[in-house]
Amino acid sequence: MTRRTAGQRLDESRLEAALSNLIRRIEAGEEFPVACWRSSCAFNVPYEALQDAYDRADEAAYH
């Protein structure tokens, strides 16, 4: 695990908002890579962090 300084920490509320936006985009029929890119840009979160959050949420929904 990489340590982050205060300036590098990802704001969890922004990540949650981006994840919610991503899910709405996918439900509306947008392809995942495009939806993830647009949501990550709109909420200023790293694409990889949003992708990981989506994967965790998807996995939790099936367990």
Side-chain angles (χ1 to χ4, degrees):
M1 179 186 281
T2 304
R3 287 185 162 194
R4 295 181 180 199
T5 64
Q8 294 173 316
R9 279 196 200 109
L10 181 59
D11 180 0
E12 291 297 320
S13 62
R14 262 194 352 236
L15 181 59
E16 288 298 319
L19 180 59
S20 180
N21 183 268
L22 172 59
I23 291 168
R24 281 194 304 272
R25 287 176 178 276
I26 291 170
E27 288 173 348
E30 204 167 321
E31 294 292 323
F32 179 84
V34 174
C36 192
W37 179 78
R38 288 180 176 165
S39 294
S40 69
C41 289
F43 291 89
N44 194 28
V45 297
Y47 181 97
E48 295 80 10
L50 183 53
Q51 185 176 24
D52 289 345
Y54 179 82
D55 290 344
R56 284 191 305 273
D58 190 49
E59 196 172 291
Y62 290 105
H63 287 99

